[in-house]
């Protein structure tokens, strides 16, 4: 008899604390609910699109199930975020989330929102997922860094050269 390896499954808990937020991505409207374990890790994700019965609503139900099952089987959240961020399809466009001004799809929005809520800054930088404030601070830091570098080059070019004094 052959035994197949099964990854450790996190047992379902009867009650989890959850947060639900409404979102708009372009013309799409929906709700993102994330239920967390006692230590604050996401355990279940539900994406509900406002247009019941639509293809989009059905697809989001499938993605919700996939994310939740993955989290139950200890797939790191970073795996989902890496795949979903920058995924492009309609609806896309402006969002009503002040931390995520635009999204290239509903899954792009969900990936960014999950990253902002649950991943550390260093990991989010790798995925290019920053809040509006973090992005502004990073741009300011990068611009100051570039300006400082340009000034140092300018100073070096304008500095007098020292030559050996003539000996007579």
């Amino acid at each position: 008899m052959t035994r197949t390896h099964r990854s450790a499954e996190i047992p379902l808990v009867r009650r989890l604390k959850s947060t639900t937020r409404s979102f708009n991505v372009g013309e799409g409207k929906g709700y993102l609910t994330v239920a967390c374990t006692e230590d604050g890790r996401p355990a279940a994700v539900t994406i509900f699109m406002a247009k019941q019965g639509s293809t989009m609503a059905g697809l989001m139900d499938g993605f919700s199930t996939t994310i939740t099952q993955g989290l139950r089987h200890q797939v790191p959240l970073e795996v989902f975020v890496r795949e979903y961020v920058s995924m492009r399809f309609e609806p896309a466009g402006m969002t009503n989330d002040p931390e995520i001004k635009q999204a290239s799809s509903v899954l792009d929005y969900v990936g960014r929102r999950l990253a902002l809520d649950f991943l550390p800054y260093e990991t989010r930088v790798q995925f290019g997922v920053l809040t509006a404030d973090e992005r502004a601070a990073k741009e300011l830091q990068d611009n100051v860094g570039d300006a400082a570098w340009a000034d140092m080059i300018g100073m070096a070019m304008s500095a007098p050269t020292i030559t050996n004094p003539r000996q007579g």
Side-chain angles (χ1 to χ4, degrees):
M1 180 158 113
T2 308
R3 266 182 110 128
T4 59
H5 173 68
R6 254 184 105 174
S7 63
E9 189 174 316
I10 298 173
L12 286 178
V13 178
R14 188 173 163 102
R15 289 178 86 118
L16 295 170
K17 289 186 180 182
S18 66
T19 304
T20 300
R21 71 172 66 230
S22 65
F23 66 86
N24 293 346
V25 174
E27 297 297 315
K29 298 178 187 333
Y31 297 90
L32 173 63
T33 300
V34 181
C36 295
T37 60
E38 286 183 16
D39 63 356
R41 290 181 296 124
V45 175
T46 304
I47 307 163
F48 176 78
M49 295 305 292
K51 287 177 73 176
Q52 284 254 341
S54 71
T55 301
M56 177 63 70
L59 288 170
M60 291 304 112
D61 284 345
F63 278 111
S64 298
T65 301
T66 300
I67 295 169
T68 299
Q69 288 298 316
L71 294 171
R72 281 192 62 212
H73 288 85
Q74 301 179 5
V75 174
L77 183 61
E78 292 90 336
V79 171
F80 295 109
V81 170
R82 182 181 304 112
E83 294 300 321
Y84 296 158
V85 167
S86 298
M87 192 174 272
R88 297 182 182 280
F89 58 87
E90 293 295 326
M94 300 296 288
T95 77
N96 62 337
D97 190 327
E99 294 182 320
I100 305 169
K101 304 277 187 195
Q102 279 193 287
S104 58
S105 67
V106 172
L107 287 184
D108 177 51
Y109 173 79
V110 168
R112 290 175 187 282
R113 185 74 261 165
L114 291 172
L116 289 174
D117 291 343
F118 298 103
L119 296 180
Y121 176 80
E122 297 77 25
T123 303
R124 292 188 289 111
V125 167
Q126 293 174 359
F127 297 137
V129 178
L130 302 173
T131 65
D133 290 341
E134 290 170 342
R135 190 174 309 286
K138 187 169 181 346
E139 286 174 5
L140 179 62
Q141 178 185 5
D142 290 348
N143 288 339
V144 168
D146 291 345
W149 178 248
D151 286 347
M152 290 183 72
I153 292 172
M155 285 173 48
M157 291 175 68
S158 64
T161 57
I162 300 174
T163 58
N164 291 334
R166 290 186 190 173
Q167 296 182 357

